[in-house]
Amino acid sequence: MSDLKVNFAGIKSPNPFWLASAPPTNSGAQIMRAFDEGWGGAVWKTLGQPITNVSSRFGATQYRGTRIVGFNNIELITDRPLEVNLKEITEVKKRYPNNAVIASIMVETREEWKDLIKRCVDAGADGLELNFGCPHGMCERGMGSAVGQEPRVCGDITAWAVEDSTVPVIVKLTPNVGNINLPARAAAASGARALSLINTIKSIIGVDLERGVLLPRVHELGTNGGYCGPAVKPIALFMVGQLGKDPEVNIPLSGIGGIDSWRDALEFIFLGASTVQVCTAVMHRGYRIVRDMLDGTERFMKDHGYETIDQMVGKALPSYTDWGHLDLNYEVVAEIDSELCIGCQLCVTACRDGAHDCISTVEGTRVPVVDVEQCIGCNLCHHVCPVPECLEMVEVDNGKEPMSWKAYEAALARGENPPHPGKSTHQTHF
Amino acid sequence: MAINFEIDLPEERLEGQLPDHKPPMTAHEVVAEANRCLYCFDAPCTAACPTSVDVPEFIRQLSTENIEGAAKTILQSNILGYSCARVCPVDVLCEGSCVYHQLNEKPIAIGRLQRHATEFALDTGLRIFTPGPDSGRRVALIGAGPASLACAFELRLLGHSCVLFEARPTPGGLNTNGIAPYKLPAADAIREVDHLLDIGGIELRMGAAVGTEVTIGELLQDFDAVFVGVGLGLDTPLSAAGAEVEGVVGAVEWIERMKLEGGYTIPGRIRSVAVIGGGNSALDVVREMVELGIENVTLVYRRDEAGMPGYGHEWVKAKQWGARGLWNTLPSAVLSENGAVTGLRCVKTRLVANEGGRASVETIAGSEFELQCEMVVAAIGQSKLTELFGAIPGLELDGGKVVIDVLSGQTANEKVFAGGDCVNGGKEVVNAAHDGKVAARGIDAYFKSLQ
Ligand SMILES: Cc1cc2nc3c(=O)[nH]c(=O)nc-3n(C[C@H](O)[C@H](O)[C@H](O)COP(=O)(O)OP(=O)(O)OC[C@H]3O[C@@H](n4cnc5c(N)ncnc54)[C@H](O)[C@@H]3O)c2cc1C
Ligand SMILES: Cc1cc2nc3c(=O)[nH]c(=O)nc-3n(C[C@H](O)[C@H](O)[C@H](O)COP(=O)(O)O)c2cc1C
Ligand code: SF4
């Protein structure tokens, strides 16, 4: 029997699926409904000083008929009174003692941090999440990503919080930095018990060309917002993977960014996250998406012999290396299954115009041929082919010993004269 | 083939000539189609399904390639989800209620998606359900059609053991011997029964007609409860003069031979067939005949086209295939030479408005004409199994249909429950599946009330 329970930096949760701090965690009523559907935990919509939000506040990337491929917001933190939120935290914890309730918080001064932390802990929150990530509005006031972008400030505030808190402190990082490892290390060094990432990415979702105004439009003006949803997943995966393999960041990670299904969640877990958080997918389709997340995860674990979530955490990290360690002598080439091929010849176009010009058409048939001598194995045609399993990359046994760039350079430095690694293809068409 | 019982369908059967009209989707198509689903709140497709399959949920599961999960979501609401996926009139049920219609866009192909998920379960022998703890109670189910099968399965979830008494040599009821082969061939219907029986604790006795091989009295004595899922009886015979010749057959009887009888063929000289009736069985026969290569297939119906009780979408397809409709026409005599049908004598009819009711049909004097044909199929209804019902003490009937309490399936005899065609007079497989499930819960409640 697979067990989905997790213990995240001392915070217990029936499963690794949490709601990220955002509109789906605005209120106790919502969070209780989410727990009823199966969510394991919820990070409350960020609490702080009173603010006022604008309308409208969301924008979306609608890509060729698919809605909300990416999502953008200019919303600030909670606009509900602090007392109400705290009362509801207490109520939710009373009714759902086994689910994780985390208070996300963001204030300015030391005194404010101290006060808010105490009130959240007193209300019964299982943990705190310091919002050092909001990249719009709040950062103009010196909070949110303004903190997350400055490793020193990030470390200092983390240290205050850790000192003031009796429950685990999670630091939520902003992806709007050149090197995610620096703020992560600062937070870890200052006593953070865990990190969560990513918050949203600075973005302009689009421009209303008729009016000449940024989107989303607030009267006659617009502003930059934070990008999230399926489009940001690769960026989030990268950042989680970066921290997953950083020995100086030896604390649990909560993966966030574009998670929509159990598959997405497991990818984060394989890169080192031990819980995941979801916002946009729930804003789009509601709490009930968690049902398939739980069901799909359980089936995957059963099929692959995993008994606990922990056994999967970081499973893919050993494969995550620097480019310089990749084997330059490993060779794949494109192979077209002529039975499956429907003759669209998109691979021909792609290879001619976008790769290496080594797929050509043949008189009398619509099925193209690959010049395997010239194929550089880039994979473009495979991604373009509309027929599943029709155009696959197959391994070539070229008899060469594995050789990475680093190994090659090292051999040269030793005064050896190894053959230049990789396949040489020199195509001329004149 | 089947593991849970022995069956050998003859190799050479006419139904083998009829191709699948809704072939399986490729995995690629499934993901693309599943991603079109909007995942509606309070989804109308689920509301339209008599068994309340959580359609958005199983489609979501298909979109994340959680196909086992999708199969479970379907089958836990409707254990006959596989045959339903293939035979349900989805145009008037789930797909008919899809919100995409309001955009004038194609509805989600729910039936085909459902087939993908459930066929996977059958193909892989996926075991999803375990029986409830043994209650020691035994239930006899009369008939092994959709109603009884759904009932037996649900009873197993509740821990009661079951014996299915089936008169025929094949299980599945009309799924096996009545459904148009281009929707569901017999072998697939039987495959579904086999998969269902994997739950164990359901004994299937074939060739066990209740009333002849075993009596109702014995069942009432030997079992803790009895479920009646016998469906309908024989085809209503054509009352036209001269109808007692070989070339005049009942629709259900003919379909059963076409589907199951080894070596059965339509005699080669037969070029034109008249199908009498306006219901779905008539429309099925018309399409089957056309597809079997009969050149002239004519539907003869006593009311007008709009008055047909059969589904309009089915008739549209039959027409597209070249079938002809003869409306406001009533056959009065079958013409034959040396025992071979040569035609039908018909009379034209007109509709006379009836206050507060359906218009009645009246023949027009002097409008007689002859329709040339070599075979006549009567699809004018099926009888009710009143003899059997008469043998069940205390059973209450309404026009030959068994009367039940809709919330429990219980009949006027507290130990006897019923569902499916014998109760509703002939609806769909999905209604029988729902009835069976409801009755199983009714039986369980009845057992609890005895404690
Ligand atoms: C030609 C035709 C086409 C149809 N097409 C469709 C369709 O496309 N889609 C759809 O949803 N529905 C269709 N239906 C309707 C559907 O088949 C029925 O609603 C459904 O099968 C009813 O299930 P049931 O279990 O009540 O009865 P049945 O399927 O009739 O099963 C009853 C079983 O009981 C057995 N039995 C009867 N008497 C006894 C006895 N005394 N002892 C033991 N066993 C007995 C019978 O042999 C039979 O196996 C069609 C019906 C017909 C006639
Ligand atoms: C409308 C909206 C409001 C958000 N508000 C907050 C917030 O108050 N605090 C916070 O830490 N993150 C906030 N976020 C960021 C999310 O918690 C999450 O980090 C981000 O959306 C990426 O996850 P996703 O791709 O699943 O949406 C917000 C996101 C959205 C879309
Ligand atoms: S989602 Fe609700 S709150 Fe937002 S604009 Fe629509 S109706 Fe208003």
Side-chain angles (χ1 to χ4, degrees):
Chain A
M1 224 352 240
S2 37
D3 179 3
L4 298 192
K5 283 199 288 297
V6 289
N7 182 335
F8 183 78
I11 301 166
K12 294 206 177 80
S13 171
N15 63 58
F17 300 107
W18 290 6
L19 291 169
S21 172
T25 59
N26 265 337
S27 69
Q30 284 173 293
I31 290 175
M32 290 191 283
R33 222 164 358 96
F35 288 166
D36 287 340
E37 283 288 5
W39 290 93
V43 185
W44 213 276
K45 173 73 185 171
T46 303
L47 311 175
Q49 295 299 336
I51 54 91
T52 301
N53 270 310
V54 293
S55 79
S56 65
R57 50 185 101 151
F58 303 148
T61 306
Q62 322 282 21
Y63 188 70
R64 300 197 177 159
T66 303
R67 301 192 79 81
I68 313 193
V69 174
F71 194 64
N72 155 288
N73 83 89
I74 55 170
E75 174 176 296
L76 305 182
I77 59 175
T78 187
D79 47 19
R80 303 171 77 231
L82 181 62
E83 300 68 42
V84 174
N85 281 310
L86 292 172
K87 218 176 99 207
E88 290 180 4
I89 290 177
T90 308
E91 192 60 28
V92 173
K93 263 323 283 185
K94 202 164 82 196
R95 296 203 208 170
Y96 295 81
N98 299 323
N99 293 74
V101 175
I102 313 297
S104 166
I105 51 176
M106 178 207 284
V107 276
E108 253 185 297
T109 64
R110 168 85 217 235
E111 280 318 302
E112 285 170 353
W113 280 105
K114 195 181 176 79
D115 175 59
L116 185 55
I117 287 169
K118 182 173 183 329
R119 295 179 70 180
C120 290
V121 172
D122 289 348
D126 296 307
L128 303 175
E129 186 180 84
L130 313 186
N131 180 346
F132 293 166
C134 184
H136 47 82
M138 301 312 289
C139 58
E140 294 171 16
R141 310 179 190 187
M143 292 178 274
S145 64
V147 175
Q149 285 166 339
E150 286 300 329
R152 195 186 47 77
V153 186
C154 171
D156 287 351
I157 300 183
T158 303
W160 297 345
V162 168
E163 192 185 321
D164 296 337
S165 174
T166 52
V167 296
V169 171
I170 305 163
V171 171
K172 183 167 179 180
L173 298 173
T174 174
N176 300 296
V177 291
N179 182 351
I180 192 70
N181 300 68
L182 303 181
R185 288 173 191 165
S190 301
R193 293 281 298 279
L195 300 170
S196 55
L197 71 167
I198 60 173
N199 208 311
T200 55
I201 303 172
K202 257 188 196 295
S203 62
I204 291 175
I205 196 73
V207 175
D208 177 337
L209 295 179
E210 299 305 322
R211 289 189 170 90
V213 178
L214 262 61
L215 292 169
R217 181 176 63 83
V218 180
H219 204 189
E220 284 164 354
L221 301 172
T223 188
N224 58 286
Y227 202 41
C228 54
V232 310
K233 191 185 92 178
I235 298 164
L237 281 177
F238 158 70
M239 293 189 166
V240 168
Q242 277 296 104
L243 303 192
K245 64 180 184 133
D246 184 344
E248 288 179 52
V249 183
N250 207 2
I251 49 177
L253 305 174
S254 188
I256 319 171
I259 297 171
D260 177 83
S261 72
W262 57 276
R263 284 177 182 275
D264 298 328
L266 287 177
E267 288 178 74
F268 277 88
I269 291 173
F270 270 51
L271 284 172
S274 41
T275 58
V276 294
Q277 299 182 26
V278 182
C279 163
T280 303
V282 167
M283 291 182 71
H284 191 178
R285 310 212 190 262
Y287 300 128
R288 65 188 163 144
I289 62 168
V290 78
R291 293 190 217 163
D292 179 52
M293 288 182 162
L294 293 168
D295 188 56
T297 302
E298 244 182 292
R299 279 174 207 283
F300 177 87
M301 289 171 70
K302 201 179 82 202
D303 290 349
H304 294 79
Y306 294 112
E307 278 156 11
T308 62
I309 297 290
D310 278 347
Q311 290 173 352
M312 300 188 289
V313 174
K315 197 75 190 163
L317 285 175
S319 77
Y320 181 15
T321 184
D322 289 343
W323 194 96
H325 292 304
L326 302 178
D327 178 9
L328 296 170
N329 282 335
Y330 175 74
E331 191 182 336
V332 291
V333 294
E335 191 177 272
I336 298 169
D337 185 330
S338 58
E339 296 283 306
L340 294 175
C341 176
I342 56 173
C344 66
Q345 300 183 348
L346 297 190
C347 55
V348 179
T349 310
C351 193
R352 275 165 76 98
D353 297 358
H356 215 64
D357 200 2
C358 54
I359 305 185
S360 38
T361 55
V362 185
E363 248 333 268
T365 170
R366 292 280 309 170
V367 182
V369 290
V370 180
D371 179 351
V372 291
E373 294 303 318
Q374 291 300 323
C375 173
I376 52 168
C378 72
N379 231 358
L380 177 65
C381 51
H382 168 78
H383 292 298
V384 164
C385 180
V387 182
E389 288 164 30
C390 172
L391 204 164
E392 296 290 314
M393 306 306 293
V394 294
E395 283 185 23
V396 176
D397 180 6
N398 55 20
K400 296 181 192 165
E401 290 294 312
M403 173 70 80
S404 68
W405 182 252
K406 286 202 171 145
Y408 180 64
E409 282 199 311
L412 290 178
R414 286 194 299 272
E416 295 165 17
N417 189 18
H420 196 286
K423 182 175 183 175
S424 76
T425 53
H426 300 288
Q427 184 112 317
T428 42
H429 282 285
F430 298 107
Chain B
M1 194 179 67
I3 329 170
N4 294 299
F5 46 84
E6 286 201 17
I7 265 188
D8 276 316
L9 287 180
E11 285 282 318
E12 292 293 314
R13 286 173 291 122
L14 263 192
E15 80 158 10
Q17 297 179 16
L18 301 177
D20 193 340
H21 283 176
K22 276 193 189 174
M25 281 177 158
T26 63
H28 182 60
E29 257 181 303
V30 166
V31 171
E33 184 67 5
N35 277 301
R36 279 183 68 227
C37 175
L38 299 173
Y39 202 58
C40 293
F41 182 74
D42 192 13
C45 43
T46 294
C49 173
T51 60
S52 311
V53 168
D54 190 342
V55 175
E57 188 61 28
F58 95 71
I59 294 183
R60 168 103 191 146
Q61 287 169 308
L62 287 178
S63 80
T64 71
E65 294 172 61
N66 178 6
I67 182 166
E68 283 186 29
K72 182 174 180 185
T73 299
I74 297 160
L75 296 173
Q76 71 191 8
S77 288
N78 180 357
I79 192 60
L80 297 174
Y82 174 66
S83 51
C84 284
R86 298 185 64 174
V87 313
C88 267
V90 288
D91 302 40
V92 297
L93 295 175
C94 51
E95 292 183 22
S97 69
C98 180
V99 296
Y100 268 119
H101 285 294
Q102 290 166 60
L103 285 171
N104 275 329
E105 286 184 31
K106 269 207 326 250
I108 302 298
I110 299 168
R112 295 182 73 198
L113 291 172
Q114 179 164 322
R115 174 175 178 179
H116 182 81
T118 51
E119 198 153 68
F120 170 86
L122 261 57
D123 288 346
T124 57
L126 186 67
R127 288 192 181 214
I128 301 174
F129 304 100
T130 43
D134 190 4
S135 69
R137 303 265 186 196
R138 293 172 75 231
V139 180
L141 300 100
I142 314 180
S148 292
L149 289 165
C151 184
F153 177 79
E154 194 72 17
L155 285 168
R156 290 302 298 137
L157 293 182
L158 296 163
H160 312 302
S161 64
C162 301
V163 182
L164 292 163
F165 292 88
E166 170 55 57
R168 286 185 163 76
T170 47
L174 287 167
N175 261 353
T176 303
N177 56 48
I179 298 284
Y182 45 77
K183 293 183 190 166
L184 183 73
D188 281 340
I190 289 171
R191 210 153 73 96
E192 178 180 51
V193 177
D194 194 28
H195 184 249
L196 181 153
L197 293 190
D198 274 349
I199 192 163
I202 303 176
E203 187 192 333
L204 175 60
R205 292 193 198 156
M206 292 184 284
V210 175
T212 51
E213 304 298 317
V214 48
T215 66
I216 282 280
E218 286 167 325
L219 297 187
L220 285 170
Q221 198 169 11
D222 298 347
F223 291 86
D224 298 300
V226 173
F227 176 79
V228 183
V230 292
L232 299 173
L234 299 175
D235 292 290
T236 308
L238 198 61
S239 60
E244 305 78 21
V245 285
E246 210 185 314
V248 179
V249 292
V252 176
E253 177 199 342
W254 178 77
I255 294 170
E256 183 164 357
R257 294 187 72 186
M258 178 265 296
K259 283 175 71 77
L260 296 174
E261 189 177 312
Y264 171 71
T265 53
I266 300 172
R269 64 179 167 76
I270 291 179
R271 291 265 170 77
S272 47
V273 172
V275 180
I276 299 162
N280 285 317
S281 296
L283 296 179
D284 274 7
V285 174
V286 165
R287 293 178 67 187
E288 286 154 355
M289 288 292 184
V290 173
E291 208 162 323
L292 286 169
I294 305 294
E295 286 160 27
N296 298 304
V297 182
T298 309
L299 182 74
V300 180
Y301 184 48
R302 62 200 174 110
R303 294 169 185 271
D304 57 10
E305 185 168 351
M308 282 196 303
Y311 293 122
H313 61 263
E314 294 282 351
W315 172 240
V316 169
K317 286 178 211 154
K319 260 199 300 204
Q320 284 164 350
W321 291 12
R324 195 161 69 103
L326 216 49
W327 312 114
N328 299 313
T329 302
L330 190 71
S332 56
V334 176
L335 309 174
S336 57
E337 274 168 32
N338 306 323
V341 173
T342 57
L344 265 187
R345 177 167 304 129
C346 303
V347 57
K348 296 303 282 184
T349 63
R350 74 172 144 241
L351 297 179
V352 183
N354 250 343
E355 236 173 82
R358 199 175 174 207
S360 51
V361 177
E362 160 176 299
T363 56
I364 303 171
S367 66
E368 285 81 2
F369 69 100
E370 281 178 16
L371 170 71
Q372 187 258 319
C373 64
E374 288 114 18
M375 185 173 170
V376 176
V377 184
I380 52 177
Q382 287 170 263
S383 67
K384 312 278 187 320
L385 295 168
T386 42
E387 197 179 327
L388 177 73
F389 303 152
I392 304 175
L395 209 66
E396 200 182 308
L397 299 181
D398 172 16
K401 297 182 279 189
V402 180
V403 176
I404 57 162
D405 166 38
V406 288
L407 296 180
S408 66
Q410 197 166 32
T411 68
N413 179 332
E414 63 164 14
K415 207 175 169 177
V416 179
F417 296 73
D421 279 2
C422 69
V423 164
N424 61 35
K427 280 191 178 168
E428 314 290 347
V429 173
V430 66
N431 302 101
H434 175 69
D435 285 3
K437 185 170 78 175
V438 167
R441 293 173 186 170
I443 291 169
D444 187 60
Y446 163 67
F447 288 159
K448 292 207 169 97
S449 77
L450 295 178
Q451 282 158 8

